[in-house]
Amino acid sequence: MTKVSFTVNGQAVALSLDTRTTLLDALREHLQLTGSKKGCDHGQCGACTVMVNGRRINSCLSLAVMHEGNEVTTIEGLGSPESMHPMQDAFVRHDGYQCGYCTPGQICSSVAILEEIKAGIPSHVSADLNAQPRVTPEEIRERMSGNICRCGAYSNIVDAITEVAGRQA
Amino acid sequence: MKPFTYERAGSPAEAAAAAARVQGARFIAGGTNLLDLMKLQIETPTHLIDVNGLALDSIEATQEGGLRIGALVRNTDLAADARVRRDYALLSRALLAGASGQLRNKATTAGNLMQRTRCPYFYDTNQPCNKRQPGSGCAAIGGFSRPLAVVGSSEACIATNPGDMAVAMRALGAVVETVKPDGTTRSIPIAEFHRLPGDTPHVETALERGELITAVTLPPPVGGTHIYRKVRDRASYAFALVSVAAIVQRDGTGRVALGGVAPKPWRVEAAEAELPRGARAATAAILDGARPTHENAFKIPLVERTLGAVLAQARG
Ligand SMILES: Cc1cc2nc3c(=O)[nH]c(=O)nc-3n(C[C@H](O)[C@H](O)[C@H](O)COP(=O)(O)OP(=O)(O)OC[C@H]3O[C@@H](n4cnc5c(N)ncnc54)[C@H](O)[C@@H]3O)c2cc1C
Ligand code: SF4
Ligand code: FES
Ligand code: FES
């Protein structure tokens, strides 16, 4: 067993874990934060997306013991049913899901891509690498391609993100 | 996953020494390739050396006018670096064409160079595979070989190197810097970094046991129009069937490296003299000696057409 401490949604946690435990399993099985989902467990679907030190990652492809001192934010840290994050609210109003399994990962990614665009990080579809990227449906689709939705809620997800981006601008 | 012990390395030389000392030790950086393979027990390290704490995460100008990219610079940060976007757009483009936003946030320069093949039989532990289990045979030869190599392959293995970043680095003439377990350092030109399979497909790079990548150096910018064109089964988040990394100058001369067709980023410098004569002549020279299977013979005309499109785009 190896000790590790980090913060999750602002709360300090200290765990003693088998080194094989992924960050996703630590969150779900040890901290009972079951919002983050396990879809593929191989970095292919994005259901496990969380923010670490402000950047989105696939928590299934990261060992918990490698997060000493990090700040982890999960869907539970973005908002609650009583006090939703604007992105959660937009997903509800735009029907950005059907079964909801991919949704926590989609929402974490959605929040992150708007930050990434704001920070000027280009994407595969940015025509000019040196210009400030814009929030277009094409940019949203490309940046969200690491989040798969089996129910095919994609177009409503793009609408939800577009609305939140418009409100922020 | 098989059980393993874990340590955080204190310095590059210590990491290399530890990797040589402990049988079955491996470095772990972003973990996005290694952990994937560990879950499938294709990789079974007994000890992981976490290199993330080593201060190898900056991009610095070199005295020669190039850039020195630390081994731990994340793919997102490398693609977004203002100097890379301006002077080495090919590299930004290749990185942005790979994986997903989440993965690029974790994936490192060194880990990306070291990523292993996506041959479906390498991933299936029920199948013979000379790369995974030397001497067991190759299920891909005569099997589902559509995604696999058309050139540079051998009787033992027809896998491709699946990466995008390394293809751009090959065209740019990058150099891989390392430290060995005895503390000595060396520089390996990217052309010599990845190995052809021959009869030892499990030996994939020039690295010796325990040798740690510390940086990748880019020579001074060469100008020209930089284009990375990736052809894949989906518009995003898929490995290349074929990719073309090109730097084309105004007079029609240039450099080309290919991804998705060979066990390593494929560049034939002598063939580049054909570029001003067009895609057909250049492709014939670059893929000279190609031995495709009936399932992946389509990659040869696909390279020609993709290169044609790239050259047309470069002419503007
Ligand atoms: C779903 C999915 C899609 C993907 N799509 C693409 C794609 O389209 N294009 C593409 O190019 N890639 C793609 N990738 C692969 C991705 O780019 C690699 O997983 C990533 O670059 C590996 O970097 P890492 O830092 O996470 O490496 P790790 O997983 O940490 O390490 C990989 C290997 O490198 C070794 N290593 C790490 N650091 C060093 C060092 N400093 N010195 C020596 N050895 C070292 C490790 O021991 C290990 O063997 C995809 C991956 C996934 C999971
Ligand atoms: S092509 Fe190479 S990696 Fe694929 S099964 Fe054959 S030996 Fe293994
Ligand atoms: S569960 Fe992590 S990407 Fe699918
Ligand atoms: S809402 Fe069902 S998988 Fe996306």
Side-chain angles (χ1 to χ4, degrees):
Chain A
M1 298 297 246
T2 301
K3 286 192 167 62
V4 64
S5 24
F6 44 81
T7 70
V8 183
N9 303 328
Q11 300 237 303
V13 299
L15 296 168
S16 188
L17 297 171
D18 185 313
T19 51
R20 292 173 286 185
T21 314
T22 60
L23 178 58
L24 177 62
D25 286 341
L27 293 170
R28 288 181 55 85
E29 312 294 332
H30 295 264
L31 298 167
Q32 279 70 51
L33 291 167
T34 53
S36 309
K37 296 292 186 272
K38 185 183 285 190
C40 64
D41 213 19
H42 286 281
Q44 298 169 358
C45 74
C48 65
T49 303
V50 302
M51 252 81 88
V52 174
N53 298 341
R55 307 179 77 166
R56 59 178 170 146
I57 68 163
N58 304 103
S59 60
C60 71
L61 281 190
S62 199
L63 294 174
V65 293
M66 293 175 72
H67 289 283
E68 182 64 39
N70 289 175
E71 290 176 16
V72 181
T73 305
T74 67
I75 190 70
E76 290 92 341
L78 285 183
S80 62
E82 299 72 40
S83 164
M84 283 193 280
H85 184 279
M87 194 64 80
Q88 292 172 316
D89 179 57
F91 266 64
V92 172
R93 282 182 298 97
H94 286 273
D95 224 358
Y97 50 84
Q98 193 179 100
C99 75
Y101 197 80
C102 71
T103 313
Q106 299 278 4
I107 292 178
C108 286
S109 257
S110 299
V111 170
I113 68 158
L114 294 184
E115 294 297 321
E116 290 164 12
I117 292 174
K118 220 180 272 173
I121 296 170
S123 87
H124 177 61
V125 299
S126 308
D128 180 353
L129 277 183
N130 297 299
Q132 173 62 34
R134 301 197 1 252
V135 185
T136 62
E138 195 193 10
E139 283 280 1
I140 293 171
R141 285 199 186 91
E142 164 59 26
R143 290 170 192 267
M144 292 296 292
S145 72
N147 291 82
I148 309 297
C149 176
R150 173 56 235 279
C151 301
Y154 297 112
S155 65
N156 292 351
I157 293 172
V158 173
D159 290 347
I161 299 172
T162 303
E163 186 199 293
V164 174
R167 262 191 276 143
Q168 284 177 358
Chain B
M1 275 187 256
K2 295 277 190 196
F4 55 85
T5 49
Y6 168 81
E7 76 171 281
R8 295 184 188 100
S11 73
E14 277 171 45
R21 195 166 54 237
V22 186
Q23 189 70 39
R26 294 298 290 272
F27 303 121
I28 186 163
T32 62
N33 191 223
L34 186 59
L35 291 171
D36 188 5
L37 294 168
M38 284 168 64
K39 288 180 183 192
L40 298 164
Q41 297 192 14
I42 294 164
E43 299 261 22
T44 51
T46 56
H47 183 65
L48 286 186
I49 301 166
D50 182 350
V51 296
N52 287 281
L54 306 179
L56 299 173
D57 55 0
S58 62
I59 306 175
E60 289 153 19
T62 63
Q63 274 182 345
E64 296 73 37
L67 283 184
R68 188 170 187 277
I69 304 158
L72 286 159
V73 173
R74 308 289 154 174
N75 289 179
T76 298
D77 298 316
L78 183 54
D81 184 88
R83 294 160 292 185
V84 176
R85 283 196 255 173
R86 188 186 62 223
D87 298 331
Y88 306 96
L90 189 65
L91 183 55
S92 284
R93 287 291 182 196
L95 285 159
L96 295 172
S100 66
Q102 291 97 313
L103 288 161
R104 291 191 299 270
N105 277 345
K106 274 253 113 187
T108 63
T109 307
N112 196 324
L113 275 181
M114 296 294 290
Q115 66 173 295
R116 306 202 68 192
T117 188
R118 296 278 159 172
C119 171
Y121 302 100
F122 175 74
Y123 268 80
D124 182 350
T125 49
N126 296 312
Q127 298 284 342
C129 169
N130 287 324
K131 190 186 276 300
R132 180 168 30 76
Q133 212 179 346
S136 62
C138 171
I141 296 175
F144 175 69
S145 55
R146 180 175 177 269
L148 303 180
V150 298
V151 71
S153 52
S154 72
E155 298 297 323
C157 177
I158 59 169
T160 55
N161 180 303
D164 292 294
M165 179 192 80
V167 183
M169 286 182 170
R170 179 72 177 88
L172 290 164
V175 175
V176 182
E177 292 180 23
T178 70
V179 58
K180 291 194 203 184
D182 65 4
T184 58
T185 60
R186 66 168 173 155
S187 302
I188 309 169
I190 185 94
E192 291 156 35
F193 184 77
H194 295 105
R195 293 279 188 91
L196 291 182
D199 51 16
T200 53
H202 58 288
V203 183
E204 294 174 346
T205 70
L207 294 188
E208 292 169 15
R209 193 174 147 192
E211 192 169 0
L212 178 83
I213 300 170
T214 51
V216 173
T217 318
L218 300 179
V222 295
T225 302
H226 290 215
I227 300 173
Y228 189 77
R229 179 79 76 107
K230 180 175 179 179
V231 183
R232 41 187 160 172
D233 287 330
R234 290 191 297 266
S236 185
Y237 203 21
F239 286 93
L241 286 168
V242 156
S243 70
V244 172
I247 302 174
V248 186
Q249 304 294 345
R250 270 167 202 266
D251 61 3
T253 62
R255 306 173 176 191
V256 173
L258 304 178
V261 296
K264 59 190 278 188
W266 197 252
R267 180 176 174 201
V268 180
E269 276 87 341
E272 291 168 2
E274 299 289 335
L275 276 176
R277 296 179 45 208
R280 169 160 295 193
T283 302
I286 298 167
L287 292 181
D288 185 36
R291 290 191 313 161
T293 67
H294 71 280
E295 284 194 359
N296 67 21
F298 75 93
K299 287 192 178 188
I300 293 174
L302 188 57
V303 167
E304 186 183 314
R305 287 175 201 158
T306 310
L307 180 58
V310 164
L311 296 177
Q313 186 184 336
R315 280 193 301 271

